[in-house]
Amino acid sequence: MGALAVQEETFGELLRSWRQRRRVSQLDLAIEADVSARHISFLETGRARPSREMVMRLAEELDVPLRHRNRLMTAAGFAPVYPEREVLAPEMDVVRRALDKILAGHEPYPAVVVDAVWNLVAANSAAAMFMEGVPAELLQEPVNVMRLSLHPQAMGGRLLNLAEVRAHLLQQLRRQAELSADGRLAELHDELSSYTYPGVDLNVAHVPGPGDILLPLRVAYGDRVLSMFTTIATFGTPVDVTVSELAIETFWPSDEETAAVLRERSRP
């Protein structure tokens, strides 16, 4: 008996999936795209075929990631619109120079560049502190920043407020998986959720107080406690799949003691 052929999703099925994922009705999408709800219905059922411009317009209104916009174009019978270049490709030189400048400029504080599934793309020298004492198998390519953050033999074993940080990161990862329709993120979420930490009560939830502004990472570093918060930046108006999926996470000291330790580490 031959293998069953895998049936490709149609444009209508993909459109309906993204519309429902964004919790948008046919009428609402029609209004935003300046077409009739009847036309949206016909597109989803396959009774009408979209033009190239209509695919682009609907993808824009639904905020579909560039990678999946290419899938929509292909399903509709058109060539993909957005290229996907390797970070080391010659055409990406301007992107690499921008990343290098940002990473170097953030010294002596840690900064990393990650891709769509939190795999490490680049890092500055200060970020090496997160990899000190980490088992070699966790540092094999591709190194995953989320995995390093929560693995009990990596940062997960050093975080003094593990329960709060773990809950926040898992919620962030789950939301990213839902919004991006990336099964790799869902798999990563399930893996990180399965980690166990003997002696740590993961049910302890921090209730923000009136003085709280950010949830810090409180990290045991030798006999000291470092406190940091992070910011994440992305490229504006990308038209390349790879660039659209890059994110720069920068770490900032929450107090002067942490800033002093990070400055001290940077000295020759």
Side-chain angles (χ1 to χ4, degrees), residues 64-142:
V64 177
L66 299 194
R67 179 179 299 278
H68 291 278
R69 294 189 192 193
N70 279 345
R71 287 185 61 193
L72 282 167
M73 293 296 293
T74 302
F78 303 105
V81 173
Y82 302 99
E84 182 178 0
R85 304 174 179 91
E86 295 289 337
V87 174
L88 296 179
E91 304 93 322
M92 297 281 275
D93 179 65
V94 64
V95 173
R96 291 195 303 274
R97 284 190 281 111
L99 293 175
D100 289 343
K101 188 170 185 179
I102 294 171
L103 292 175
H106 197 63
E107 297 278 6
Y109 308 142
V112 298
V113 180
V114 297
D115 64 14
V117 291
W118 291 90
N119 286 334
L120 185 66
V121 174
N124 63 8
S125 60
M129 65 178 295
F130 299 134
M131 304 177 194
E132 295 173 359
V134 174
E137 58 267 23
L138 292 178
L139 299 179
Q140 293 179 356
E141 297 290 343

Side-chain angles (χ1 to χ4, degrees), residues 112-187:
V112 298
V113 180
V114 297
D115 64 14
V117 291
W118 291 90
N119 286 334
L120 185 66
V121 174
N124 63 8
S125 60
M129 65 178 295
F130 299 134
M131 304 177 194
E132 295 173 359
V134 174
E137 58 267 23
L138 292 178
L139 299 179
Q140 293 179 356
E141 297 290 343
V143 177
N144 188 273
V145 171
M146 277 287 189
R147 186 176 290 118
L148 282 182
S149 299
L150 292 182
H151 197 284
Q153 292 182 286
M155 290 294 293
R158 306 175 195 170
L159 285 169
L160 301 180
N161 58 337
L162 173 63
E164 293 84 4
V165 172
R166 175 182 178 272
H168 174 76
L169 293 183
L170 290 179
Q171 181 184 36
Q172 177 184 352
L173 199 55
R174 182 170 58 251
R175 177 167 174 77
Q176 285 183 320
E178 292 173 351
L179 292 177
S180 67
D182 194 326
R184 297 171 299 173
L185 288 173
E187 291 176 2

Side-chain angles (χ1 to χ4, degrees), residues 248-266:
I248 307 157
E249 184 169 23
T250 50
F251 294 75
W252 300 86
S254 299
D255 52 46
E256 182 52 39
E257 180 181 0
T258 299
V261 171
L262 295 176
R263 289 195 297 267
E264 181 181 320
R265 288 188 73 260
S266 69

